[in-house]
Amino acid sequence: MKVLFCSSEVAPFAKTGGLADVAGSLPLALGKLGIDVLILMPKYRGIEVSEKILSDRVRVRFIEHEAFFNRSGLYGNRESDYPDNLDRFTFFSYECLAEAKRLGFKPDVVHA
């Protein structure tokens, strides 16, 4: 079985709350059960790699877009959300499917 995780945050790479904890730990648990997992998340400022192998069955790939993801905050600043968040995460959603296709990763389940 193959599972594709599409998450805007994954611990330990980027975290604002519980989503990052689940997106960072559930794939590892699934990998231990013999499930192949691909995690896709934005390549935020400070992430230096394009891919990280977490275990023999779990890897993370980072979706790049300089203007959308190289910012000081994940979703906004102290004053407000970024006004283009809809555009940013529409792009991210589209790119998750496109990246899986480019990699030949055909998931049985998409967790988004």
Side-chain angles (χ1 to χ4, degrees):
M1 176 176 271
K2 293 183 177 186
V3 178
L4 173 63
F5 272 76
C6 305
S7 182
S8 59
E9 51 187 89
V10 177
F13 307 104
K15 176 179 165 62
T16 64
L19 171 61
D21 295 326
V22 171
S25 62
L26 182 55
L28 292 172
L30 293 173
K32 288 179 183 176
L33 295 173
I35 296 170
D36 293 322
V37 181
L38 173 62
I39 305 168
L40 298 173
M41 69 167 284
K43 186 175 183 184
Y44 295 117
R45 181 179 293 174
I47 296 174
E48 303 287 328
V49 296
S50 295
E51 180 175 77
K52 181 76 175 176
I53 306 298
L54 300 182
S55 75
D56 60 337
R57 294 195 171 268
V58 181
R59 66 182 165 153
V60 181
R61 288 191 56 91
F62 300 95
I63 304 295
E64 293 189 52
H65 189 293
E66 185 75 16
F68 281 164
F69 303 128
N70 186 13
R71 300 180 181 189
S72 60
L74 301 187
Y75 307 116
N77 54 39
R78 291 181 183 207
E79 292 140 21
S80 66
D81 291 341
Y82 294 128
D84 63 345
N85 275 346
L86 178 61
D87 295 331
R88 295 171 70 220
F89 292 102
T90 298
F91 167 82
F92 172 67
S93 298
Y94 174 81
E95 281 300 306
C96 283
L97 297 177
E99 182 70 4
K101 186 175 182 177
R102 281 190 290 271
L103 295 170
F105 189 86
K106 297 179 182 178
D108 298 294
V109 176
V110 176
H111 184 280

